[in-house]
Amino acid sequence: MKLERSQKLFEEAQQYLPGGVDSPVRAFKAVGGTPIFIVRGKGSKIHDEDGNEFIDYVCSWGPLILGHSHPQVVKALKKAVEQGTSFGASTELEVRLAKLISKAFPSMEMLRFVNSGTEATMSALRLARAFTRRDKIIKFDGGYHGHSDGLLTKGGSGLATLGIPDSPGVPLSYTQNTLVAPYNNIGDVKQLFERYPGEIAAVIVEPVAANMGVVLPEHGFLGGLRQLTRDSGALLIFDEVITGFRVAYGGAQSLYNVTPDLTCLGKIIGGGLPVGAYGGGRKLMEMMAPVGPVYQAGTLSGNPLAMTAGIETLNVLGQPGVYSKLEEKTSKLEDGIAKVASEAGVRLRTSRIASLLTAFFTGTPVTDYDSAKKSDTALFSRFFTHLLAEGVYWPPSQFEAAFVSLAHSDEDIKRTVEAIGNALKAV
Ligand code: HOZ
């Protein structure tokens, strides 16, 4: 595969952008080789600067659940762009998207739009601390909630990819109120509540962990968190930035039937444009300025282009049969991976919910970050490189999720399984 243009651009990019990228996982550091520079995407495919075509399983890390450049989204965006790109003032679009979200997530009676998942989780925690008048929070080892200071400890995603446990530049005082427990371990969470009675403001959790690879909550884990938080006057925050509108229209909370106090969303609700949101019950949300005293603001929040892409995306997702189609496609992919892995004699375990999937290169069950880390990352790197050469763009880290979109055809899945089979034989 020719990668001359990407190579040249990557060299040039490194002169101006640290590591040549604007987000670390894009740099292929965990897998080696040259990051591809993308020119365009259509449906399930992306095309790079050298004219290579790839079946895309990154899908912009989730938002492109309809695939790239979905005609309905593009048409609406073209119209919206002509009306103006940003006003720093309210539009009807914000009300329309908020209504759609609130209907899908009844726990979000009110919400506030922001520009990223990072902003959503950071703001939700501020609100939780203000509401409870407590400072400490609990997060989970390998959970990733964006890069705000207080959450940059024992994180997944790029931190896991690069093996960075805690980032320098974060004062100790910012993280000393962040308590960390292993995912799926309700006993340890209970112990933290016992150790710090009346001090914990909130538990923040990805209801399905998706930044240490996909790790499903074990039976009783989410319900246990709900019970512990309720009993101790703390809030439960679901970070559904990845799972929201992905694992089901109503997110993981609808699938697992556990209602959080606050929900953070991102990705899909902007249809590929920068967006995030946090929301919860009216009483809680009315603590936000200008109604209440908790401050949070943003010039581009509720941006008309992001709102437009979000509305169109949710309108398509709200049609009957969409989630069963996604389920069907992804289960075919998962079954295919299991089959070719066994044929190739490679120890590999898939972990999947709906159209979110990770293939862990390990023979032991993955239930938390420690078990995810048992994966053979060197083997994963070789797998990734072979797969790329076969025309499949898989997430460039063992600790990320692969995303299947509605645009992935049966032929794409078939070709992908063949390519994975070839890659597994080669490694
Ligand atoms: N795990 C991240 C998405 N939640 C990867 C994207 C990024 O950090 O650039």
Side-chain angles (χ1 to χ4, degrees), residues 190-243:
K190 192 162 180 262
Q191 273 179 20
L192 287 173
F193 273 106
E194 283 163 4
R195 195 150 134 212
Y196 300 100
E199 288 188 66
I200 296 168
V203 173
I204 184 164
V205 64
E206 294 172 76
V208 173
N211 284 288
M212 51 176 117
V214 175
V215 181
L216 307 189
E218 286 178 349
H219 183 69
F221 177 60
L222 298 175
L225 294 180
R226 180 63 285 181
Q227 193 63 44
L228 282 172
T229 44
R230 193 172 280 141
D231 290 350
S232 60
L235 300 187
L236 179 61
I237 305 176
F238 273 5
D239 177 346
E240 295 227 40
V241 167
I242 289 185
T243 52

Side-chain angles (χ1 to χ4, degrees), residues 81 83 127 143 153 156 245 271 276 280 330 346 385 412 424:
V81 110
Q83 310 280 341
L127 172 55
T153 179
F245 293 98
T330 322
V346 174
T385 307
D412 289 331
L424 290 177

Side-chain angles (χ1 to χ4, degrees), residues 22-26 58 60-62 144 146 156-159 161 206 210-212 241-242 267 399-401 403:
D22 283 308
S23 197
V25 293
R26 293 178 201 172
V58 175
S60 189
W61 300 103
Y144 181 71
S157 188
L159 296 163
T161 301
E206 294 172 76
N211 284 288
M212 51 176 117
V241 167
I242 289 185
K267 314 271 184 191
F399 305 110
E400 298 283 1
F403 299 88

